[in-house]
Amino acid sequence: MTVSTGNSLSPLQGADGIFPAGCPSRTVLDHVSSKWGVLILVALWNGPQRWSELRRRAEGISEKMLAQTLKTLEGDGFLHRDAQPVIPPRVDYSLSNRGRELVAVLLPLVSWIAEHADEIVSVPGTAGSGESGDAAEAPHGHIAP
């Protein structure tokens, strides 16, 4: 058995750079942690898909948001866009090596969310329930901590 001496590395060791406001990691974090970004990346885990397949898979995404998300993720190097010179035009999207590495990290998070989403959203006092839960209401409609 190993006893910790308190000198172990923090899980954030090396990630402290994400906290400054001007850090480029903030931009990448915004791109890959958006609802649509995560869904598109995870949808491509099992292989290349066409634009229309991605739109059906990520139910509720608008054409504009899908196009914007694909362009952003491609620009970040997470996706490959393969436009084939045929009629009608065919464009396939797939994960790059960087994208596969990222999705491998996202899959446990997405699985955890899928497993717990119903219980989290249905718990009184959460944003999804519309109830205030244990928070006491302060004067003038503010919620007390």
Side-chain angles (χ1 to χ4, degrees):
M1 181 161 108
T2 305
V3 178
S4 174
T5 61
N7 293 332
S8 63
L9 294 177
S10 162
L12 286 175
Q13 189 70 27
D16 285 341
I18 65 171
F19 293 104
C23 180
S25 62
R26 293 266 185 115
T27 300
V28 176
L29 185 62
D30 182 46
H31 295 171
V32 301
S33 66
S34 73
K35 169 177 59 177
W36 300 121
V38 169
L39 291 175
I40 296 305
L41 288 164
V42 171
L44 291 168
W45 179 253
N46 290 323
Q49 292 188 45
R50 295 176 75 177
W51 192 90
S52 58
E53 293 170 316
L54 289 169
R55 178 131 193 258
R56 280 191 299 272
R57 188 81 191 269
E59 291 181 14
I61 193 169
S62 68
E63 291 183 14
K64 179 181 177 183
M65 185 55 67
L66 177 57
Q68 181 180 331
T69 302
L70 289 168
K71 184 176 181 178
T72 298
L73 294 173
E74 181 188 8
D76 290 342
F78 296 117
L79 304 181
H80 290 296
R81 181 181 185 275
D82 181 24
Q84 300 172 14
V86 295
I87 306 238
R90 179 183 174 106
V91 179
D92 291 309
Y93 294 91
S94 61
L95 293 172
S96 65
N97 288 337
R98 177 183 288 165
R100 291 194 70 73
E101 184 179 342
L102 172 62
V103 175
V105 175
L106 287 175
L107 286 174
L109 173 65
V110 171
S111 295
W112 187 92
I113 290 169
E115 183 178 334
H116 297 283
D118 285 340
E119 68 191 61
I120 293 169
V121 172
S122 66
V123 171
T126 63
S129 70
E131 297 180 19
S132 61
D134 295 333
E137 190 166 324
H140 307 292
H142 294 6
I143 301 295

